[in-house]
Structure formats: structure tokens, C-alpha cells
Amino acid sequence: MTPLSARALNRALLGRQFLLARTDHTPLEVIERLVALQAQEPNWPYVGLWSRICGFTHAQLTTLLQDRKVVRSGLLRSTQHLTAADDFRRLRPLLQPVLDRTARSAYFARNSAGLDTASLVATGLELLAGGTTPRKELARRLAERHPGRDGRILAGEVELRTPLIHSPATGTWGSWGTRSAVSVTPAGTWLGLPMVPATAKDLIRRYLAAFGPAGTMDVQAWSGLTRLGEIVSGMRAELRHYRGPDGRELIDLADAELPDPDMPAPVRLLPAFDNALLGHADRTRIISDEDRKRVMPGQAQVRPTFLVDGHVRGSWSLEGDTVRLTPFRPLSATDRAALEQETERLLPFVGGKDVFYSPWHRPLDPSLAR
């Protein structure tokens, strides 16, 4: 097997994520390549696309959502993602066991103990009546049907167990912190087409196109699916095989090209929850274990970051109309100038006016690291 260095893996990831150079591909084409954009907060996917696409505007993604070509719903790892509508129809059924597993967790199970799962889903769909309903209203109606239970948790379980699409009105730019205001529609009604499950092999190929070369555990960490080893073994003849820096076997599409490891990587600002950071079990190809603890201090938190020479070197935040840059260690004058230049370009896109550069980082509290 051909050995690959950590730098070669870094440049391969950046190239497939459109982070070595911005692309002229359309936003829909980029979303299809990336498979899905994590979207717990609606604004972050816009930033992720801005960092990847030449001349990207808010209206381009908003129009895709309004035209139902891109949808927002629970998907990979049971978290909210944006994905192309056609991909959602194929991937959601394949990933449904992951969402069902989350719905069986103690948080949901305590509240729904004694309820028949199929009946709960049927009740939820009956209350939605094939239309668009605020999540709060669905919770209220479910609580009326099941006195003594938390309707909000019941609504969350229904949303995990059956595909519901979020209304674009609560998933477009400017919707910071509007999770509670989300409205949902049954996927069949919203899309007007049935679900057509993809195969696990399809998903693995799509993953490698966006994140490869990678190992089986990486595919599982990204998707939430388990026991993919046998399926990968069955694909062995169609894949290219490498050896990673730690000796692990890595797989890739046979026709996938690898960029020159010596290719320079530009400064890039990534949004919170960007899958470039979350797409592998071993994330050291883009972020060190030490910095990972700073960026991911809790189970539900992944801070916005910036890349210098292809690796996470700090975090950033939008505070009012100021973008605050917080490097994790000193940067060279050249890297700092490039970072500030890229941030200046971002300012009008996020509605900012100023850049504040922190020459220090907060000491890491080990108790916060997961």
C-alpha cells in the first residue's frame, strides 16, 4: 500500500472540501459534493459556502431552500443538516437507524415509556395533517393527547422517527437562535416524491469523494452508522488502498486524485460545526488533539475556526458587528496579515464592521474537554 503523510491527507481533505481554492461550481453542486452541511444554527451553512464558492451570496442558498431543492432536517449523526432534496430522499431512509437509536436514548425513553412507538409517530403525522406546523404547536397537541408527558420531548421523538422538513422561513440567513420557532412538514408532502433508500455502498462512495482517503471508522464517525467493515471489505476491488501515518489502512475512490502535498493552503474561516472538522474519527489531519479540546469543549459545541496552512490555528466569533479572532498560539506576521485580509472580506457578508485581534488565548480548562 502506498503510504500517505499527514500533510498529504490534509491537502486531500482541503481539496475535496473546496478549501484549497474557491470553486466556480454552483451552491447546489457544492452541497451535493459535501453530501450535507451541518446546520444546527441556520446561518452557519451560509458561511461555510462563502468560504468555498467564488462570489457566493445569501440569496443563492435562500433560493435553493425556498425552491425545495435543498432541505433542512435531521440527518447525519441525528443532527440538523442541509442537503440536496434528492439526496435527502435517498440518505434519510439509510440513516434512519441512527436517528432511531437516538430516539431510544434515556432522554426520550423516560418520557415515552409505555407508549407504542408506531402509534406515537402515527399520532404526530395525524396532527401535522400533511401540512406545515410550528414545532411548538405540535408539542402542545401531543401533550394534550398524552397528559403528564412533556410534549416538547414527544415532538422531538416524532421528528427523529419520521422525516420532517424545516420550513425555509426558519432556516435562512438572519435566523440566529430560532430553533424554538421552527415549523415542520412531512417530507413526502414537502418534496412531493417518495423516499428511495440509497445503499451503504452509495454512502461510502459519496463520503470518500468529500473526505477521502479515510478508514472505515472515519465513515462511521461521520455518518453515525456502525458495522460498515464488512461492506467496505466487499468493495475492496473497486477502491484504492493506502497506509496512513499511524499505519492504519485507508481507502479511496479508484479515480480520485490527490493534490501535491506541498501545495500552499490559503487562510480560511470555517463556521461552527463545519463537517471538515467532524468528518473523521481521527481529526488530526486538520486539527490537533490539543486544539480540538478548545474548539469542541462540550458535546453540543463546535466553535467557528480559522485555518492557517490547512490546520486549525484559532477560533473566531461575531460579537455585535465585530469579528473577534482568537489564535491559539502566536502567528507569523505574514499569516496574521493573511488572516486579517480574509476576515475583512468576510465582514460585509456577516454584517460586521470591525475586526478585533486577540493576541492571546484563554487557558484551556481540562474539565471542559470531552
Side-chain angles (χ1 to χ4, degrees):
M1 295 180 201
T2 303
L4 291 177
S5 66
R7 185 176 177 88
L9 291 176
N10 172 265
R11 292 310 192 252
L13 174 63
L14 296 181
R16 296 185 195 188
Q17 290 282 312
F18 301 109
L19 293 171
L20 275 180
R22 283 185 168 90
T23 181
D24 289 324
H25 287 301
T26 68
L28 183 59
E29 290 170 338
V30 171
I31 293 169
E32 289 172 339
R33 160 71 80 82
L34 302 179
V35 186
L37 299 175
Q38 196 148 326
Q40 275 93 325
E41 295 289 352
N43 282 4
W44 288 124
Y46 286 82
V47 176
L49 293 175
W50 177 87
S51 290
R52 291 170 164 92
I53 301 174
C54 296
F56 174 74
T57 65
H58 301 105
Q60 288 176 300
L61 178 54
T62 298
T63 298
L64 289 174
L65 288 162
Q66 292 172 342
D67 290 348
R68 308 189 184 195
K69 294 180 180 179
V70 168
V71 298
R72 180 175 185 247
S73 184
L75 197 65
L76 299 166
R77 304 182 300 279
S78 298
T79 54
Q80 306 302 324
H81 279 75
L82 293 187
T83 191
D86 286 342
D87 282 340
F88 183 78
R89 292 174 52 233
R90 303 181 69 239
L91 297 179
R92 174 62 188 250
L94 176 65
L95 296 168
Q96 190 57 50
V98 180
L99 290 95
D100 288 340
R101 187 170 67 232
T102 300
R104 291 193 299 270
S105 65
Y107 175 76
F108 294 99
R110 283 193 299 265
N111 189 62
S112 59
L115 290 181
D116 177 73
T117 298
S119 296
L120 174 62
V121 172
T123 299
L125 291 174
E126 174 195 339
L127 294 174
L128 290 170
T132 300
T133 303
R135 186 187 276 165
K136 283 185 174 181
E137 180 63 14
L138 176 61
R140 185 187 68 78
R141 294 177 183 177
L142 285 169
E144 288 179 349
R145 292 286 188 97
H146 302 286
R149 301 178 191 269
D150 190 323
R152 181 178 55 87
I153 299 176
L154 291 177
E157 182 171 349
V158 169
E159 194 169 339
L160 284 168
R161 293 192 179 276
T162 191
L164 303 180
I165 304 298
H166 294 189
S167 168
T170 52
T172 52
W173 180 260
S175 305
W176 294 110
T178 58
R179 295 186 193 185
S180 61
V182 166
S183 293
V184 294
T185 309
T189 301
W190 186 260
L191 299 173
L193 293 168
M195 296 292 185
V196 183
T199 67
K201 289 183 179 181
D202 292 333
L203 184 69
I204 292 166
R205 295 184 190 105
R206 294 289 300 279
Y207 170 80
L208 292 174
F211 295 92
T216 301
M217 294 300 294
D218 295 315
V219 188
Q220 295 183 164
W222 168 79
S223 67
L225 292 171
T226 58
R227 302 178 181 178
L228 294 180
E230 184 175 344
I231 296 171
V232 170
S233 295
M235 301 172 65
R236 190 170 185 83
E238 72 172 80
L239 300 174
R240 186 174 295 173
H241 301 265
Y242 297 100
R243 186 72 66 188
D246 59 359
R248 288 189 310 135
E249 181 180 3
L250 304 177
I251 55 175
D252 201 6
L253 299 175
D255 60 352
E257 297 183 1
L258 300 181
D260 183 346
D262 294 326
M263 180 178 293
V267 168
R268 287 291 182 260
L269 289 105
L270 298 182
F273 302 102
D274 196 288
N275 273 330
L277 270 63
L278 302 175
H280 300 84
D282 177 5
R283 300 167 185 172
T284 55
R285 68 182 67 196
I286 193 169
I287 184 171
S288 69
D289 289 336
E290 178 186 2
D291 290 343
R292 177 176 173 176
K293 296 171 185 176
R294 295 187 173 95
V295 171
M296 308 172 193
Q299 289 296 325
Q301 187 174 7
V302 182
R303 292 172 174 152
T305 58
F306 59 79
L307 306 181
V308 175
D309 191 29
H311 290 80
V312 171
R313 292 291 182 254
S315 62
W316 65 276
S317 59
L318 180 62
E319 302 172 6
D321 59 5
T322 299
V323 172
R324 177 186 292 269
L325 301 169
T326 304
F328 295 149
R329 56 193 55 82
L331 300 176
S332 69
T334 299
D335 289 338
R336 173 170 170 166
L339 172 61
E340 293 177 357
Q341 184 179 44
E342 180 73 355
T343 307
E344 290 283 352
R345 286 195 287 265
L346 177 67
L347 284 179
F349 187 84
V350 297
K353 296 181 180 179
D354 299 302
V355 179
F356 181 82
Y357 184 92
S358 300
W360 51 270
H361 66 267
R362 298 175 183 174
L364 176 65
D365 181 351
S367 66
L368 297 178
R370 62 175 179 176

